[in-house]
Amino acid sequence: MSHRYGDERIVEWLRENRYHPRSPAHGSASCMFLLDDLLSANNAFREAAESGDIVFQEDFDVGSGASRWNTDLVVGPPAENAQIEFRGDRAIAEGEPERVWLAIDAKSVMTEHGKARRNRQRDINSFADIMHRHYPGAVTGGVLLINMAEQFRSPLRDEGDITEHDRIERLVRETVEMFRDIERANGKVSPNVDGVGCIVVDHTNSDDGSATALVEEPPAPQTDDMVHYREFVNIIASVLDNRWLTGTGPDLDSFAEVDLESVLNRQIVEVASAASTLGKEAREQNVSGESVDSMSTEIGELQAVIEEIDRRYGEEGQTIDGDD
DNA sequence: TTTAACTTCAGCGGTGGGAG
DNA sequence: CTCCCACCGCTGAAGTTAAA
Protein backbone atom coordinates (compact mmCIF):
# COMPACT_ATOMS: atom_id res chain seq x y z
CA MET A 1 0.00 0.00 0.00
CA SER A 2 1.44 3.34 -1.02
CA HIS A 3 1.65 6.25 1.37
CA ARG A 4 -1.21 8.74 1.26
CA TYR A 5 -0.01 12.29 1.65
CA GLY A 6 -1.51 14.94 3.91
CA ASP A 7 -2.80 17.08 1.04
CA GLU A 8 -5.14 14.28 -0.04
CA ARG A 9 -6.03 13.34 3.50
CA ILE A 10 -7.03 16.87 4.55
CA VAL A 11 -9.43 17.03 1.60
CA GLU A 12 -10.99 13.80 2.80
CA TRP A 13 -11.15 15.31 6.29
CA LEU A 14 -13.03 18.33 4.93
CA ARG A 15 -15.52 16.03 3.22
CA GLU A 16 -16.17 14.08 6.38
CA ASN A 17 -16.12 16.89 8.94
CA ARG A 18 -17.73 20.29 9.11
CA TYR A 19 -15.15 23.01 8.76
CA HIS A 20 -15.49 25.67 11.42
CA PRO A 21 -13.05 28.62 11.49
CA ARG A 22 -13.15 28.86 15.29
CA SER A 23 -12.12 25.27 15.76
CA PRO A 24 -8.52 24.02 15.85
CA ALA A 25 -9.69 20.61 14.61
CA HIS A 26 -8.65 21.04 10.97
CA GLY A 27 -5.23 22.42 11.97
CA SER A 28 -4.65 19.51 14.26
CA ALA A 29 -5.63 17.07 11.50
CA SER A 30 -3.18 18.76 9.09
CA CYS A 31 -0.35 18.47 11.59
CA MET A 32 -0.93 14.79 12.24
CA PHE A 33 -1.01 14.11 8.50
CA LEU A 34 2.26 16.02 8.09
CA LEU A 35 3.82 14.01 10.89
CA ASP A 36 2.91 10.81 9.05
CA ASP A 37 4.36 12.26 5.84
CA LEU A 38 7.67 13.05 7.55
CA LEU A 39 7.86 9.58 9.07
CA SER A 40 7.35 8.15 5.62
CA ALA A 41 9.71 10.53 3.83
CA ASN A 42 12.81 10.14 5.99
CA ASN A 43 14.40 6.96 7.32
CA ALA A 44 16.48 8.62 10.02
CA PHE A 45 13.41 10.43 11.33
CA ARG A 46 11.34 7.25 11.39
CA GLU A 47 14.08 5.23 13.05
CA ALA A 48 14.57 7.88 15.75
CA ALA A 49 10.81 7.91 16.30
CA GLU A 50 10.45 4.13 16.47
CA SER A 51 13.21 3.84 19.02
CA GLY A 52 11.66 6.56 21.17
CA ASP A 53 14.56 8.99 20.70
CA ILE A 54 12.07 11.65 19.62
CA VAL A 55 8.47 12.31 20.58
CA PHE A 56 5.75 14.69 19.41
CA GLN A 57 3.34 16.94 21.25
CA GLU A 58 0.41 19.07 20.11
CA ASP A 59 -0.45 22.51 21.49
CA PHE A 60 2.99 23.04 22.93
CA ASP A 61 3.46 26.32 24.83
CA VAL A 62 6.64 28.30 24.28
CA GLY A 63 7.82 31.37 26.17
CA SER A 64 5.78 33.81 28.17
CA GLY A 65 4.34 37.29 27.95
CA ALA A 66 4.44 38.97 24.57
CA SER A 67 6.64 36.28 23.05
CA ARG A 68 4.28 33.49 24.05
CA TRP A 69 3.22 31.06 21.39
CA ASN A 70 1.10 27.97 21.40
CA THR A 71 2.56 25.71 18.73
CA ASP A 72 0.31 23.24 16.97
CA LEU A 73 2.96 20.53 16.74
CA VAL A 74 6.48 20.07 18.06
CA VAL A 75 8.93 17.17 17.80
CA GLY A 76 12.04 16.67 19.89
CA PRO A 77 13.92 14.37 22.23
CA PRO A 78 11.77 13.42 25.23
CA ALA A 79 12.17 15.09 28.62
CA GLU A 80 13.86 12.96 31.26
CA ASN A 81 10.72 11.90 33.10
CA ALA A 82 8.32 12.18 30.19
CA GLN A 83 5.37 9.85 29.85
CA ILE A 84 5.76 8.33 26.43
CA GLU A 85 2.91 6.69 24.61
CA PHE A 86 2.65 5.11 21.17
CA ARG A 87 -0.91 5.35 19.95
CA GLY A 88 -2.63 3.68 17.03
CA ASP A 89 -0.20 2.61 14.32
CA ARG A 90 1.72 5.89 14.30
CA ALA A 91 5.47 5.22 14.48
CA ILE A 92 6.16 8.11 16.85
CA ALA A 93 5.20 8.37 20.51
CA GLU A 94 3.42 11.27 22.13
CA GLY A 95 5.15 12.90 25.08
CA GLU A 96 6.78 15.98 26.57
CA PRO A 97 9.86 17.01 24.57
CA GLU A 98 13.00 18.27 26.30
CA ARG A 99 13.92 20.52 23.39
CA VAL A 100 12.28 21.47 20.11
CA TRP A 101 13.81 20.08 16.94
CA LEU A 102 10.75 20.68 14.77
CA ALA A 103 7.85 23.10 15.18
CA ILE A 104 4.83 23.32 12.88
CA ASP A 105 1.97 25.80 12.74
CA ALA A 106 -1.11 25.08 10.64
CA LYS A 107 -3.11 27.96 9.19
CA SER A 108 -5.97 28.35 6.79
CA VAL A 109 -7.33 30.97 4.42
CA MET A 110 -10.83 29.90 3.44
CA THR A 111 -12.53 33.20 2.63
CA GLU A 112 -11.79 36.93 2.68
CA HIS A 113 -8.42 36.04 1.17
CA GLY A 114 -7.27 39.62 0.73
CA LYS A 115 -7.40 40.31 4.42
CA ALA A 116 -6.79 36.88 5.87
CA ARG A 117 -3.58 36.17 3.97
CA ARG A 118 -1.87 39.22 5.46
CA ASN A 119 -2.79 38.06 8.91
CA ARG A 120 -1.56 34.53 8.26
CA GLN A 121 1.68 35.85 6.81
CA ARG A 122 2.27 37.81 9.99
CA ASP A 123 1.43 34.72 12.02
CA ILE A 124 4.01 32.59 10.19
CA ASN A 125 6.79 35.14 10.49
CA SER A 126 6.14 35.83 14.12
CA PHE A 127 5.82 32.13 14.87
CA ALA A 128 9.24 31.37 13.36
CA ASP A 129 10.80 34.33 15.12
CA ILE A 130 9.46 33.47 18.58
CA MET A 131 10.27 29.79 18.15
CA HIS A 132 13.90 30.50 17.27
CA ARG A 133 14.29 32.88 20.15
CA HIS A 134 13.50 30.05 22.55
CA TYR A 135 14.86 27.12 20.55
CA PRO A 136 17.55 28.52 18.24
CA GLY A 137 18.02 25.43 16.12
CA ALA A 138 14.38 24.47 15.74
CA VAL A 139 13.27 23.58 12.22
CA THR A 140 10.05 25.50 11.59
CA GLY A 141 7.31 25.05 9.05
CA GLY A 142 3.85 26.31 8.20
CA VAL A 143 1.05 24.32 6.58
CA LEU A 144 -1.47 26.52 4.77
CA LEU A 145 -4.89 25.44 3.63
CA ILE A 146 -6.11 27.80 0.90
CA ASN A 147 -9.65 27.65 -0.46
CA MET A 148 -10.36 28.19 -4.14
CA ALA A 149 -14.12 27.61 -4.19
CA GLU A 150 -16.10 30.38 -5.85
CA GLN A 151 -18.71 30.19 -3.13
CA PHE A 152 -18.14 29.72 0.56
CA ARG A 153 -20.59 29.30 3.39
CA SER A 154 -19.01 30.73 6.53
CA PRO A 155 -20.49 29.35 9.74
CA LEU A 156 -19.84 32.80 11.23
CA ARG A 157 -22.22 34.61 8.92
CA ASP A 158 -26.01 34.67 8.90
CA GLU A 159 -27.81 31.66 7.47
CA GLY A 160 -28.09 31.98 3.69
CA ASP A 161 -25.30 34.54 3.47
CA ILE A 162 -23.03 32.86 0.95
CA THR A 163 -19.77 34.61 0.11
CA GLU A 164 -19.10 34.89 -3.63
CA HIS A 165 -15.44 35.02 -4.55
CA ASP A 166 -15.00 37.03 -7.69
CA ARG A 167 -11.60 36.55 -9.37
CA ILE A 168 -10.85 33.65 -7.02
CA GLU A 169 -8.10 32.32 -9.27
CA ARG A 170 -6.15 35.55 -9.01
CA LEU A 171 -6.72 35.74 -5.27
CA VAL A 172 -5.36 32.24 -4.80
CA ARG A 173 -2.40 32.84 -7.11
CA GLU A 174 -1.44 35.98 -5.20
CA THR A 175 -1.94 34.24 -1.86
CA VAL A 176 0.38 31.39 -2.87
CA GLU A 177 2.94 33.92 -4.10
CA MET A 178 2.78 35.76 -0.82
CA PHE A 179 3.71 32.62 1.10
CA ARG A 180 6.36 31.70 -1.42
CA ASP A 181 7.94 35.13 -0.88
CA ILE A 182 8.32 34.75 2.88
CA GLU A 183 12.03 34.69 3.61
CA ARG A 184 13.43 31.17 4.11
CA ALA A 185 16.20 29.90 6.34
CA ASN A 186 17.54 27.82 3.42
CA GLY A 187 19.01 25.21 5.71
CA LYS A 188 20.84 27.75 7.87
CA VAL A 189 20.23 28.40 11.53
CA SER A 190 18.18 31.61 11.28
CA PRO A 191 15.07 33.31 12.61
CA ASN A 192 13.31 32.63 9.30
CA VAL A 193 10.95 29.81 8.56
CA ASP A 194 12.38 26.68 6.91
CA GLY A 195 9.40 25.84 4.80
CA VAL A 196 5.80 26.69 3.99
CA GLY A 197 3.46 24.26 2.27
CA CYS A 198 0.31 25.46 0.52
CA ILE A 199 -2.58 23.07 0.00
CA VAL A 200 -5.18 24.49 -2.38
CA VAL A 201 -8.66 23.03 -2.05
CA ASP A 202 -12.10 23.59 -3.53
CA HIS A 203 -14.42 23.61 -0.55
CA THR A 204 -17.80 25.39 -0.42
CA ASN A 205 -18.54 24.27 3.15
CA SER A 206 -22.19 23.73 2.21
CA ASP A 207 -24.08 20.53 2.91
CA ASP A 208 -23.04 18.85 -0.33
CA GLY A 209 -19.57 18.44 1.09
CA SER A 210 -18.81 15.70 -1.37
CA ALA A 211 -17.84 18.37 -3.88
CA THR A 212 -14.67 19.13 -1.94
CA ALA A 213 -11.56 18.48 -4.03
CA LEU A 214 -7.81 18.97 -4.04
CA VAL A 215 -6.73 21.54 -6.65
CA GLU A 216 -3.58 20.42 -8.45
CA GLU A 217 -3.46 22.59 -11.57
CA PRO A 218 -2.31 26.24 -11.41
CA PRO A 219 -2.65 28.49 -9.54
CA ALA A 220 -2.04 25.66 -7.08
CA PRO A 221 1.72 25.13 -6.66
CA GLN A 222 3.30 22.67 -9.11
CA THR A 223 5.52 19.76 -8.09
CA ASP A 224 8.86 21.60 -8.36
CA ASP A 225 7.63 24.62 -6.39
CA MET A 226 9.00 25.00 -2.86
CA VAL A 227 5.50 25.78 -1.56
CA HIS A 228 4.08 22.60 -3.13
CA TYR A 229 3.02 20.43 -0.22
CA ARG A 230 5.15 17.39 -1.08
CA GLU A 231 8.19 19.53 -1.85
CA PHE A 232 7.61 21.21 1.51
CA VAL A 233 7.60 17.80 3.21
CA ASN A 234 10.93 17.02 1.52
CA ILE A 235 12.47 20.33 2.54
CA ILE A 236 11.47 19.95 6.19
CA ALA A 237 12.58 16.30 6.30
CA SER A 238 15.92 17.17 4.75
CA VAL A 239 16.76 20.09 7.06
CA LEU A 240 15.65 18.04 10.05
CA ASP A 241 17.85 15.16 8.96
CA ASN A 242 20.92 17.35 8.37
CA ARG A 243 20.60 19.34 11.54
CA TRP A 244 19.58 16.80 14.13
CA LEU A 245 19.64 13.27 12.87
CA THR A 246 22.76 12.84 10.75
CA GLY A 247 26.05 11.98 12.40
CA THR A 248 26.71 11.59 16.07
CA GLY A 249 27.41 15.15 17.02
CA PRO A 250 30.77 16.84 17.39
CA ASP A 251 32.67 13.81 18.55
CA LEU A 252 36.23 14.02 17.20
CA ASP A 253 36.50 10.27 16.68
CA SER A 254 33.59 10.24 14.27
CA PHE A 255 34.68 13.20 12.17
CA ALA A 256 35.90 10.92 9.47
CA GLU A 257 32.45 9.48 9.01
CA VAL A 258 30.32 12.59 8.82
CA ASP A 259 29.78 15.69 6.82
CA LEU A 260 31.71 18.47 8.55
CA GLU A 261 29.29 21.14 7.43
CA SER A 262 26.41 19.52 9.28
CA VAL A 263 28.62 18.99 12.34
CA LEU A 264 29.53 22.68 12.24
CA ASN A 265 25.92 23.79 11.87
CA ARG A 266 24.85 21.53 14.62
CA GLN A 267 27.52 22.77 16.98
CA ILE A 268 26.51 26.36 16.26
CA VAL A 269 23.02 25.40 17.32
CA GLU A 270 24.39 23.97 20.56
CA VAL A 271 26.30 27.18 21.24
CA ALA A 272 23.24 29.29 20.48
CA SER A 273 21.13 27.13 22.75
CA ALA A 274 23.59 27.41 25.64
CA ALA A 275 23.82 31.17 25.02
CA SER A 276 20.05 31.42 25.18
CA THR A 277 19.99 29.77 28.60
CA LEU A 278 22.91 31.80 29.90
CA GLY A 279 21.47 35.05 28.57
CA LYS A 280 18.15 34.41 30.25
CA GLU A 281 19.88 33.77 33.56
CA ALA A 282 21.96 36.92 33.12
CA ARG A 283 18.82 38.95 32.51
CA GLU A 284 17.30 37.50 35.66
CA GLN A 285 20.58 38.12 37.48
CA ASN A 286 20.70 34.51 38.57
CA VAL A 287 23.50 32.76 36.67
CA SER A 288 24.21 29.12 37.52
CA GLY A 289 27.66 27.57 37.32
CA GLU A 290 26.15 24.81 35.26
CA SER A 291 25.15 27.23 32.51
CA VAL A 292 28.56 28.87 32.47
CA ASP A 293 30.26 25.47 32.21
CA SER A 294 27.88 24.38 29.52
CA MET A 295 28.57 27.53 27.51
CA SER A 296 32.32 26.98 27.80
CA THR A 297 32.01 23.34 26.83
CA GLU A 298 30.00 24.13 23.72
CA ILE A 299 32.42 26.86 22.65
CA GLY A 300 35.28 24.44 23.18
CA GLU A 301 33.59 21.85 20.99
CA LEU A 302 32.88 24.47 18.34
CA GLN A 303 36.57 25.37 18.43
CA ALA A 304 37.43 21.69 17.95
CA VAL A 305 35.18 21.47 14.92
CA ILE A 306 36.74 24.59 13.40
CA GLU A 307 40.22 23.19 13.98
CA GLU A 308 39.28 19.92 12.36
CA ILE A 309 37.90 21.76 9.32
CA ASP A 310 41.10 23.80 9.13
CA ARG A 311 43.30 20.74 9.55
CA ARG A 312 41.52 18.90 6.80
CA TYR A 313 40.77 21.62 4.29
CA GLY A 314 42.78 24.68 5.39
CA GLU A 315 45.65 26.16 3.42
CA GLU A 316 48.32 24.58 5.61
CA GLY A 317 47.08 21.09 5.06
CA GLN A 318 46.96 20.95 1.29
CA THR A 319 48.81 22.02 -1.81
CA ILE A 320 47.65 25.38 -3.02
CA ASP A 321 47.65 25.76 -6.76
CA GLY A 322 48.81 28.97 -8.43
CA ASP A 323 50.35 32.06 -6.97
CA ASP A 324 49.22 35.07 -4.99
C1' DT B 1 -20.50 12.97 35.83
C1' DT B 2 -21.79 18.17 34.58
C1' DT B 3 -20.61 22.92 34.57
C1' DA B 4 -17.87 26.87 34.41
C1' DA B 5 -13.80 29.37 33.20
C1' DC B 6 -10.31 30.01 30.04
C1' DT B 7 -7.83 29.88 25.54
C1' DT B 8 -7.55 29.78 20.68
C1' DC B 9 -8.78 30.68 16.11
C1' DA B 10 -9.86 32.57 11.37
C1' DG B 11 -12.54 36.02 9.86
C1' DC B 12 -15.25 40.17 10.32
C1' DG B 13 -15.86 45.08 9.81
C1' DG B 14 -14.57 49.87 11.11
C1' DT B 15 -11.31 52.96 9.62
C1' DG B 16 -8.22 55.75 6.98
C1' DG B 17 -5.43 56.67 3.01
C1' DG B 18 -4.97 56.86 -1.90
C1' DA B 19 -6.76 56.76 -6.52
C1' DG B 20 -10.02 58.42 -9.82
C1' DC C 1 -16.10 64.49 -3.61
C1' DT C 2 -16.80 58.97 -3.95
C1' DC C 3 -15.02 54.44 -4.32
C1' DC C 4 -11.91 50.90 -3.18
C1' DC C 5 -8.86 48.25 -0.64
C1' DA C 6 -5.41 47.21 2.86
C1' DC C 7 -4.69 47.39 7.67
C1' DC C 8 -5.56 46.22 12.40
C1' DG C 9 -7.61 44.65 16.39
C1' DC C 10 -11.61 42.63 18.14
C1' DT C 11 -15.13 38.88 18.10
C1' DG C 12 -17.54 34.82 19.84
C1' DA C 13 -18.03 29.69 19.07
C1' DA C 14 -15.29 25.51 19.55
C1' DG C 15 -12.41 23.19 22.24
C1' DT C 16 -9.81 22.42 26.57
C1' DT C 17 -8.91 22.41 31.28
C1' DA C 18 -10.34 23.07 35.90
C1' DA C 19 -13.79 23.00 39.28
C1' DA C 20 -17.87 21.31 41.44
Side-chain angles (χ1 to χ4, degrees), chain A residues 30-107:
Chain A
S30 285
C31 285
M32 287 304 105
F33 298 155
L34 174 64
L35 193 54
D36 288 340
D37 292 339
L38 291 171
L39 288 165
S40 163
N42 189 276
N43 290 330
F45 187 68
R46 189 177 57 253
E47 282 161 18
E50 282 169 348
S51 59
D53 291 341
I54 53 172
V55 294
F56 79 94
Q57 188 154 77
E58 288 188 272
D59 295 320
F60 184 80
D61 274 316
V62 163
S64 59
S67 71
R68 210 172 99 94
W69 199 274
N70 179 278
T71 311
D72 290 334
L73 171 70
V74 295
V75 174
E80 206 161 323
N81 303 315
Q83 298 278 350
I84 290 182
E85 190 183 353
F86 283 91
R87 237 182 266 163
D89 55 358
R90 186 162 282 130
I92 185 168
E94 190 167 1
E96 167 95 16
E98 166 75 40
R99 299 174 61 181
V100 175
W101 285 2
L102 170 70
I104 299 293
D105 228 29
K107 296 283 166 204

Side-chain angles (χ1 to χ4, degrees), chain A residues 52 56 60 89 93 100 117 145 152 178 180 204 213 239 307:
Chain A
F56 79 94
F60 184 80
D89 55 358
V100 175
R117 59 193 182 189
L145 193 58
F152 182 71
M178 187 173 276
R180 187 187 294 117
T204 62
V239 178
E307 280 163 12

Side-chain angles (χ1 to χ4, degrees), chain A residues 101-105 127-129 131-132 135 137-142 185 190-196 232 236 243:
Chain A
W101 285 2
L102 170 70
I104 299 293
D105 228 29
F127 154 70
D129 187 46
M131 198 55 58
H132 288 121
Y135 298 94
V139 179
T140 56
S190 102
N192 295 324
V193 78
D194 290 277
V196 178
F232 158 72
I236 294 294
R243 186 163 310 158

Side-chain angles (χ1 to χ4, degrees), chain A residues 198-253:
Chain A
C198 296
I199 303 173
V200 180
V201 299
D202 188 321
H203 182 60
T204 62
N205 210 34
S206 31
D207 290 328
D208 61 338
S210 58
T212 301
L214 179 66
V215 180
E216 296 186 273
E217 59 281 359
Q222 299 303 289
T223 48
D224 56 343
D225 192 334
M226 70 173 173
V227 290
H228 186 271
Y229 180 75
R230 299 180 191 200
E231 184 62 25
F232 158 72
V233 169
N234 290 335
I235 290 169
I236 294 294
S238 152
V239 178
L240 202 51
D241 190 336
N242 285 334
R243 186 163 310 158
W244 299 111
L245 303 167
T246 300
T248 55
D251 171 359
L252 284 169
D253 295 336

Side-chain angles (χ1 to χ4, degrees), chain A residues 144-180:
Chain A
L144 267 128
L145 193 58
I146 301 170
N147 193 16
M148 202 167 116
E150 288 181 2
Q151 300 185 336
F152 182 71
R153 157 94 187 92
S154 170
L156 302 179
R157 295 197 172 203
D158 292 340
E159 194 65 37
D161 184 358
I162 307 292
T163 308
E164 294 273 346
H165 290 126
D166 201 21
R167 312 188 327 259
I168 186 63
E169 192 169 320
R170 194 181 120 192
L171 275 175
V172 170
R173 187 174 39 177
E174 289 173 355
T175 304
V176 170
E177 275 169 19
M178 187 173 276
F179 288 105
R180 187 187 294 117

